[in-house]
Amino acid sequence: MIPQPTEKELDILQVLWAKGPQTVREINDQLQSEKEIGYTTTLKLLQIMHDKGLVSRELNGKTHIYKSIVSESATQQKMLDKVVDKVFKGSAMNLVMQALGNSKSTDKELDEIRAYIDQLKNDKND
């Protein structure tokens, strides 16, 4: 089972998914570009994430290289399932209606959503 990452752990995972395996310094530098976070905080988070099974680490000389063990898509799916269950009482429709109603979707995005829905219908009817 995939452990649930905290918001700060998710920030670190986003870096690892985008950049691949990184050192603590590289991860911290990426995080620093968006918000203030200390090196020791990043290191401690990575140690906790390693214990939780979210990341692996390899020793390269004196430096640890961290790598995500969990995939982005599996993590997104787990988190989405939790939101649908807890916030929208299991209703994917309510989630989609809320998301579409609260953002300004472009015509292109709406066309892609329609095409996706059509594909789902076709798959269901096959």
Side-chain angles (χ1 to χ4, degrees):
M1 180 186 271
I2 298 170
Q4 182 80 25
T6 65
E7 186 176 334
K8 290 182 180 185
E9 291 170 347
L10 195 55
D11 290 341
I12 291 172
L13 286 171
Q14 293 284 354
V15 171
L16 293 173
W17 292 328
K19 303 285 186 179
Q22 301 278 296
T23 65
V24 178
R25 173 66 54 209
E26 291 168 330
I27 293 167
N28 192 70
D29 288 349
Q30 285 290 313
L31 295 174
Q32 282 276 17
S33 69
E34 296 172 21
K35 56 185 141 189
E36 189 68 29
I37 185 167
Y39 176 88
T40 55
T41 301
T42 301
L43 174 61
K44 185 64 178 168
L45 285 167
L46 283 161
Q47 291 168 340
I48 292 168
M49 292 171 71
H50 181 262
D51 292 343
K52 287 172 76 173
L54 292 169
V55 297
S56 64
R57 70 178 171 223
E58 258 182 47
L59 192 57
N60 184 3
K62 293 183 178 183
T63 306
H64 282 108
I65 309 290
Y66 287 86
K67 176 183 175 184
S68 174
I69 293 175
V70 296
S71 74
E72 185 174 14
S73 61
T75 303
Q76 288 171 340
Q77 186 63 55
K78 180 176 179 158
M79 293 181 82
L80 180 61
D81 288 347
K82 185 174 180 179
V83 167
V84 170
D85 288 343
K86 300 284 183 189
V87 178
F88 295 95
K89 299 178 184 159
S91 173
M93 182 191 76
N94 287 342
L95 168 74
V96 171
M97 299 299 283
Q98 187 73 27
L100 289 175
N102 284 343
S103 67
K104 301 200 185 282
S105 300
T106 66
D107 287 343
K108 182 180 183 214
E109 289 171 329
L110 292 172
D111 289 343
E112 289 176 16
I113 291 167
R114 280 187 199 95
Y116 183 68
I117 291 169
D118 290 344
Q119 181 62 49
L120 290 174
K121 283 182 183 178
N122 290 337
D123 290 349
K124 188 175 179 180
N125 292 330
D126 288 343

